[in-house]
Amino acid sequence: MLQRREFLTGLLATTTTLRSRDAAAQQAAAGVFFERAAQGTPHKGKVLLAVQAHSDDIPLMSAGTVAKLVKEGYTGYLLRATNDDMGDARGLGTAGTVGENVLGNERDNDEVARALGLKRVFNFGYPNHKMGDVSLNELICRLILLIRALKVDTVVCWDPWAHDEENPDHYMTARGVEAACWMAGRDHDYPEQFVAGLEPYEVRDKYYFARRPEITRVVDISAVVDRKIEANRANRAKGPGGHHGSRLRAELAKKGQRLPLLGDDDATADRNYIKEFLLTRNRELGKQYGVEYAEAFHYVRPGASGASGPSTEEYIRKNVVPR
Ligand SMILES: [Zn+2]
């Protein structure tokens, strides 16, 4: 009897938890689409271009979603707009000269692509933090060529118009992407590219991430969170993931101390450090939707850039009468 009462109490507690989770999910879901993990590879045949200004942008902001889309069938490519020569803030990455930063981040960026299952890396090589006055038309033209050549269906990138963005590389890259996604599908934009065998190709949908996002889509990344951790572990020159965990473990050991969180070897220390300290926002967002980890986006759906409302064809079909 006691066992049964305990069982019932447990069941009641579980039901209450589920109910409050549902309520939280519904509340959080007002106007927001919650993208769950898909079965199989529904995106097979489609192409994803993950665009970042710096080697740590995608790892920190959207690596889970990139890994999820690749797992669900996308062929993915990674584009990095700058040469990352500025390194990062004091104490965040590996201290080095400008030249060392370029090489370190280039190698890390290649490793990020490998960790996320992306097929190839493209580097535009603009100087770090100096994109404020690069030619927007040149950037757009380079992006259009890439979109047409790879036949890009979907992009993941910084939000071109988000609040609180401080880094000119982020918003310039994003503004180039926004324009190129649309212009790449038009006959009269850079038609000389068609001589090389390219054809107009419009990007269908966009996942824009930001420091303070206008959230229209939340993506469940729980099943691929290990990929996100590996992408951040690849950022050694820049951080804030990289080898921070193992470095902290070594510093504590010198003082005769240890953190159980950091485990018994360097790789575990790096991974658990990233999971605990870098994925806090992903964990908090996931909790609101009843999953372990999630990422937030301003998502632009297919056709959103064109005229809205019923099409001319649809109107004719519904209203046409014999003469
Ligand atoms: Zn950045």
Side-chain angles (χ1 to χ4, degrees), residues 54 56-57 158 167 170:
H54 315 110
D56 61 345
D57 297 338
W158 283 104
N167 196 315
H170 294 171

Side-chain angles (χ1 to χ4, degrees), residues 65-141:
T65 300
V66 169
K68 175 189 183 285
L69 294 175
V70 168
K71 189 183 175 193
E72 292 171 0
Y74 272 96
T75 299
Y77 298 90
L78 181 63
L79 167 62
R80 184 178 55 136
T82 75
N83 66 2
D84 267 320
D85 60 17
M86 289 291 181
D88 213 323
R90 268 191 180 176
L92 263 189
T94 310
T97 65
V98 163
E100 285 163 343
N101 288 338
V102 170
L103 183 59
N105 285 315
E106 184 181 285
R107 286 176 175 158
D108 287 359
N109 194 63
D110 289 346
E111 186 60 21
V112 166
R114 198 198 58 76
L116 295 177
L118 302 172
K119 198 174 168 185
R120 187 173 165 177
V121 170
F122 297 91
N123 292 302
F124 277 2
Y126 290 107
N128 204 166
H129 295 176
K130 301 272 179 61
M131 285 189 72
D133 63 356
V134 301
S135 162
L136 184 58
N137 276 329
E138 179 195 282
L139 177 62
I140 291 170
C141 183

Side-chain angles (χ1 to χ4, degrees), residues 260-281:
L261 169 80
L262 301 178
D264 297 322
D265 61 85
D266 286 351
T268 307
D270 290 337
R271 288 185 181 118
N272 288 358
Y273 179 96
I274 291 163
K275 199 168 190 173
E276 182 64 28
F277 300 114
L278 267 66
L279 305 190
T280 313
R281 281 175 71 181

Side-chain angles (χ1 to χ4, degrees), residues 194-237:
F194 307 142
V195 176
L198 302 180
E199 288 176 8
Y201 202 90
E202 188 173 355
V203 175
R204 285 173 51 77
D205 58 347
K206 299 125 200 173
Y207 291 76
Y208 290 140
F209 54 83
R211 295 179 202 277
R212 178 147 75 92
E214 176 200 334
I215 304 175
T216 59
R217 177 169 292 226
V218 167
V219 180
D220 177 7
I221 61 159
S222 309
V224 287
V225 74
D226 289 345
R227 289 272 185 156
K228 177 156 186 162
I229 290 168
E230 289 310 305
N232 280 284
R233 201 160 77 93
N235 272 135
R236 285 156 201 156

